[in-house]
Amino acid sequence: MATDLIRMTAADLAELLALGKATSVEITQAHLDRIAAVDDDVHAFLHVDADGALQAARESDARRAAGEAASALDGVPIAVKDVLATRGLPTTCGSRILQGWVPPYDATVVARLRAAGLPILGKTNMDEFAMGSSTEHSAFGPSRNPWDLERIPGGSGGGSSAAVAAYEAPLAIGTDTGGSIRQPAAVTGTIGVKPTYGGVSRYGLVALASSLDQAGPCTRSLLDAAMLHEVIGGHDPLDSTSIDQALPALVEATHEGSLRGVRVGVVRELGGEGYQAGVRARFDDSVALMVEAGAEVVEVSCPHFEYGLGAYYLILPSEASSNLAKFDAMRYGLRVLPDGIEAPSAEQVMTATREMGFGAEVKRRIILGTYALSSGYYDAYYGQAQKVRTLISRDFASAFEQVDVLVSPTAPTTAFKIGEKLDDPIAMYLNDIATIPANLAGVPGVSVPNGLADEDGLPSGLQILAPATADDRLYRVGAAVESLLDASWGGPLLAKAPALGGQA
Ligand code: GLN
């Protein structure tokens, strides 16, 4: 029974709960047991809150018994990326500088999860301050890919995707600034959705780059993602960039999934050279499948996407250098007193703390951002990058005049080996070549598992992008593709992943 429970989708668990065939305590305990059995290997979690999760589960069961379920997902447990503030639970952002910080408040996303009755299993591992594509930049050691423990589970939200792929949680929250929900989904054979910018509140999300960050669902099915998206999404007066309009009907869209007459644009600039042969082959298969199902597929060109990575690595560090200035040894977490100075000044304490508290990648980006924003260079770097950003938005606008959705491979390669790209920042940055344009333009995107690469037997992802606020299209098209693909394999792709921890 417990093994069955961990392998079910959130929608199926919700149904069991609604029918009274399982309790939230049983479901939550089954996942806590799974975490205990496999997380020493996977290291998806930085912090597990067994007591808190079981307490929330008991309260959920009491609500059900009284006929007062707070939402369809009431009682279904979830894991939360450690970049979201959780009242009473550590929030480190994968950084030493926040070690020991326990927020006195909940992020809006977390508050909405609690209000909807989802027990929070714990906080998931991530690259420090969400900078990275592998979780290797976590100060607390990398997470591992359940498909092959020697490989990365993607990043920065590799912990969330690994937890879902390893059946440690049916649902997780990730955040995506340049691809950190979609790329981990692609390399772990799971679903990851980056909502429209402003569609999910950023209040309490520790900012990496405020104009790019967006929280969203990590799941094993499109329906689960839609259910979760409806819980966390929608207007929030606490976030000034939150869109003040109702979310489209996302769950409904997954049930309407059809490709007949859908105009699909293959982005010419997101494919070809630099993409692993097996990833390209699975992408071509997916496109063929869509054509067979009645989609009208055309190639579209987005000529400025080629400058996306360059613009992103000026805009992101610029915003990050400003956002991370608040970690000054006075307000949160770590405080390091410099050696050999009797009465150190605030500035000396700040320097010693930031020196010790931040890892190499964070320092690299702070330096880059400070430089890009410095007087004399501002126009040449930051200003220029902002112009590129506008051109990329225009590319999207003209592409969406021709087609309903755009598609590409999510990531150029399957999961690489731990250590393989750690010393080569540019190689690491290239993982997000296909996901970054969506963040720069604020449009929503999803990664759907679309098969295993022939050369290494590891999962690849299909990225689907839609116009801003048309998140329902991701679900309509994604669910149709998902059911075609699942039918072609006779079940979810994840069922092909090797067993972990000596058990199913
Ligand atoms: N890998 C990208 C980066 O390092 C994306 C990070 C993210 O989306 N948080 O910036």
Side-chain angles (χ1 to χ4, degrees):
M1 182 65 177
T3 334
D4 295 345
L5 290 178
I6 61 166
R7 293 203 164 237
M8 285 184 167
T9 63
D12 288 342
L13 292 170
E15 198 178 318
L16 280 191
L17 286 163
L19 295 172
K21 291 189 177 166
T23 64
S24 176
V25 168
E26 284 165 356
I27 293 170
T28 303
Q29 188 61 55
H31 287 93
L32 291 169
D33 291 347
R34 176 69 171 176
I35 293 169
V38 303
D39 209 53
D40 280 350
D41 288 337
V42 179
H43 193 225
F45 285 88
L46 290 177
H47 181 79
V48 178
D49 183 27
D51 292 345
L54 287 169
Q55 177 59 30
R58 280 190 292 273
E59 289 166 14
S60 169
D61 288 334
R63 275 192 300 275
R64 289 266 176 201
E68 287 166 0
S71 74
L73 289 174
D74 195 339
V76 178
I78 188 163
V80 176
K81 187 177 179 182
D82 207 24
V83 69
L84 287 149
T86 40
R87 186 170 25 85
L89 279 183
T91 298
T92 66
C93 297
S95 181
R96 287 215 187 286
I97 212 155
L98 276 175
Q99 212 167 2
W101 183 55
V102 177
Y105 71 106
D106 277 330
T108 294
V109 165
V110 173
R112 289 186 180 180
L113 294 175
R114 293 198 208 266
L118 287 84
I120 295 173
L121 294 165
K123 306 294 293 288
T124 57
N125 196 15
M126 55 185 284
D127 286 295
E128 186 174 5
F129 287 107
M131 299 179 187
S133 299
S134 69
T135 74
E136 291 168 290
H137 294 310
S138 166
F140 308 110
S143 298
R144 291 166 182 275
N145 192 320
W147 287 79
D148 176 350
L149 296 173
E150 298 304 309
R151 291 176 188 266
I152 59 99
S156 64
S160 284
S161 296
V164 169
Y167 304 102
E168 295 174 84
L171 301 168
I173 299 289
T175 60
D176 192 313
T177 303
S180 289
I181 291 176
R182 289 163 288 158
Q183 181 259 6
V187 300
T188 56
T190 56
I191 305 272
V193 178
K194 181 200 96 70
T196 295
Y197 181 79
V200 174
S201 171
R202 287 184 300 106
Y203 178 76
L205 191 182
V206 181
L208 167 53
S210 316
S211 76
L212 302 163
D213 298 340
Q214 191 57 201
C218 307
T219 65
R220 294 192 294 263
S221 84
L222 256 304
L223 173 58
D224 286 5
M227 292 173 82
L228 180 54
H229 195 155
E230 287 191 354
V231 167
I232 60 174
H235 182 242
D236 177 15
L238 298 176
D239 172 0
S240 62
T241 58
S242 168
I243 298 170
D244 194 0
Q245 73 186 46
L247 274 185
L250 306 175
V251 170
E252 204 178 296
T254 64
H255 297 309
E256 293 163 353
S258 160
L259 289 167
R260 192 140 305 280
V262 175
R263 295 170 305 162
V264 175
V266 173
V267 185
R268 184 183 307 153
E269 289 76 10
L270 302 181
E273 216 184 307
Y275 288 73
Q276 188 180 320
V279 169
R280 280 208 312 258
R282 291 299 80 83
F283 177 70
D284 293 343
D285 291 352
S286 300
V287 170
L289 208 62
M290 289 191 265
V291 171
E292 232 173 89
E296 293 166 23
V297 179
V298 294
E299 191 181 68
V300 297
S301 176
C302 295
H304 301 96
F305 281 19
E306 123 176 49
Y307 309 109
L309 193 74
Y312 174 86
Y313 277 100
L314 288 167
I315 293 168
L316 177 139
S318 298
E319 293 188 21
S321 68
S322 158
N323 279 326
L324 297 184
K326 63 179 165 289
F327 301 109
D328 58 1
M330 306 297 147
R331 286 176 255 221
Y332 316 86
L334 189 71
R335 175 176 301 169
V336 178
L337 299 177
D339 273 347
I341 305 179
E342 205 170 300
S345 67
E347 203 157 81
Q348 285 167 326
V349 174
M350 205 183 295
T351 305
T353 303
R354 287 167 70 87
E355 157 96 57
M356 277 264 266
F358 286 140
E361 181 63 24
V362 173
K363 287 178 185 155
R364 180 153 44 232
R365 295 200 196 189
I366 289 174
I367 291 168
L368 201 66
T370 311
Y371 182 76
L373 290 176
S374 57
S375 88
Y377 293 105
Y378 182 95
D379 286 337
Y381 294 119
Y382 184 74
Q384 200 68 8
Q386 290 292 19
K387 288 182 190 156
V388 170
R389 188 171 189 174
T390 301
L391 294 173
I392 287 175
S393 295
R394 287 189 194 152
D395 279 358
F396 271 115
S398 72
F400 286 130
E401 278 171 16
Q402 305 161 53
V403 296
D404 302 309
V405 292
L406 293 169
V407 292
S408 76
T410 306
T413 69
T414 57
F416 47 91
K417 288 244 167 73
I418 289 175
E420 197 178 314
K421 299 189 181 178
L422 197 53
D423 298 328
D424 185 350
I426 304 284
M428 194 68 94
Y429 297 170
L430 282 166
N431 284 293
D432 289 311
I433 191 98
T435 46
I436 279 172
N439 301 81
L440 289 172
V443 306
V446 60
S447 180
V448 180
N450 72 337
L452 305 178
D454 301 315
E455 54 275 22
D456 54 22
L458 293 166
S460 64
L462 170 72
Q463 175 174 241
I464 306 170
L465 303 169
T469 72
D471 301 52
D472 51 331
R473 276 190 216 171
L474 300 179
Y475 290 100
R476 197 167 288 119
V477 174
V481 172
E482 174 187 50
S483 68
L484 289 170
L485 287 166
D486 282 1
S488 74
W489 305 311
L493 186 69
L494 257 188
K496 296 181 191 287
L500 283 174
Q503 56 177 102

